[in-house]
Amino acid sequence: QAFPSTILSSAHRSTRSAMAGRTEHSPLLESGAPEDFDAGKSIAFISVLLTVPRLIGFGIAFAIYKFGATAKYDSQLKTFGKEDGYGWLYLAVYLFSVVVSFVNLFPMYYKGKVMKADAGNLRANMFIYTVDDGSNKHVVLEEEGGIGEYNRANRSLGHFVENVAGFLLLIPFAGKVFTIPTSVLIIILAVGRVAHQMGYASGGYGKHAPGFMLHLISLVSLEGLVLLSAIRLF
């Protein structure tokens, strides 16, 4: 799919000013001179995103187990034979989902070398192209009008595709033990994804945050249910 784009002169024009022919400071950082980049902060930020939500998710899962239909959940877990190693299988599913999150988060480390944190809709770009004509101009997605809305709607779709693999494994494994809670979490995910796409497309960068939070709550809670099942099966 060929995306409509805007051409930026390297570190001299913003997306909007490039369209109007004005010269302003670009939200893209100077190539080779990432003055705003802090490797330590980037690593710490990614680490927090990987760990803190999952601690919360495990807490939610434990609350579901402890204050929900505990006897029913234990009965479902007993259908698995501990000697058959299902604890390891559940643990592997959990780790796979974490890896899916990691490979989605890791590019953020390099993103800090390319664009500023306040670059707005420019941060929807998954790739930054360079025009091969010696002009050192960069090519990014159009962000204005209907074309910008279309691009951001597709970016939200891409975000869902990038993250769906973990859900596809988590849902049947969590659902086998925690049927109703898993169903509720899937509904939360569905509402979150719709809110994410509509907010991103119509409101721009930042308006997708509420939908993303619902997505994240669903994800880490499902992971928590699978991890809790793994622990109970050992």
Side-chain angles (χ1 to χ4, degrees):
Q1 182 179 7
F3 289 102
S5 60
T6 299
I7 299 178
L8 296 180
S9 176
S10 176
H12 291 295
R13 288 179 290 178
S14 69
T15 305
R16 293 181 181 177
S17 62
M19 297 171 61
R22 298 191 300 271
T23 300
E24 297 176 2
H25 187 61
S26 171
L28 284 175
L29 297 176
E30 288 275 8
S31 178
E35 67 270 13
D36 291 348
F37 179 71
D38 187 317
K41 287 184 179 179
S42 292
I43 293 173
F45 181 65
I46 293 172
S47 298
V48 168
L49 285 181
L50 279 172
T51 56
V52 174
R54 284 174 171 81
L55 292 175
I56 295 172
F58 188 78
I60 293 172
F62 184 78
I64 290 172
Y65 172 77
K66 187 70 174 178
F67 302 108
T70 306
K72 182 178 179 180
Y73 304 146
D74 285 336
S75 176
Q76 287 293 96
L77 287 167
K78 288 178 181 177
T79 63
F80 297 99
K82 289 189 177 183
E83 66 279 2
D84 294 327
Y86 282 103
W88 291 108
L89 180 58
Y90 268 75
L91 181 60
V93 169
Y94 170 79
L95 291 175
F96 178 84
S97 182
V98 173
V99 168
V100 171
S101 293
F102 174 80
V103 298
N104 274 279
L105 285 172
F106 187 63
M108 292 181 66
Y109 174 83
Y110 300 102
K111 196 172 191 176
K113 295 183 177 183
V114 177
M115 59 189 73
K116 300 174 183 179
D118 60 354
N121 288 329
L122 184 68
R123 295 181 67 83
N125 286 267
M126 300 303 293
F127 302 95
I128 305 295
Y129 298 93
T130 301
V131 180
D132 189 19
D133 63 355
S135 65
N136 199 31
K137 291 180 179 179
H138 294 130
V139 181
V140 298
L141 297 177
E142 174 63 77
E143 66 178 66
E144 299 294 337
I147 295 176
E149 292 172 338
Y150 172 75
N151 285 336
R152 291 190 298 276
N154 275 300
R155 174 64 200 111
S156 178
L157 171 61
H159 182 269
F160 175 67
V161 172
E162 292 159 7
N163 287 273
V164 74
F167 283 102
L168 292 179
L169 268 184
L170 292 168
I171 289 170
F173 280 86
K176 176 65 172 67
V177 181
F178 302 92
T179 308
I180 301 301
T182 298
S183 300
V184 172
L185 290 170
I186 295 170
I187 293 172
I188 292 173
L189 169 66
V191 173
R193 291 315 314 183
V194 171
H196 185 284
Q197 189 169 50
M198 294 180 68
Y200 211 169
S202 62
Y205 188 83
K207 299 300 183 181
H208 65 304
F212 175 74
M213 292 305 298
L214 292 176
H215 163 106
L216 186 60
I217 289 170
S218 176
L219 173 64
V220 297
S221 298
L222 286 170
E223 286 181 345
L225 293 175
V226 169
L227 180 59
L228 182 59
S229 297
I231 294 171
R232 299 289 296 174
L233 287 169
F234 277 118

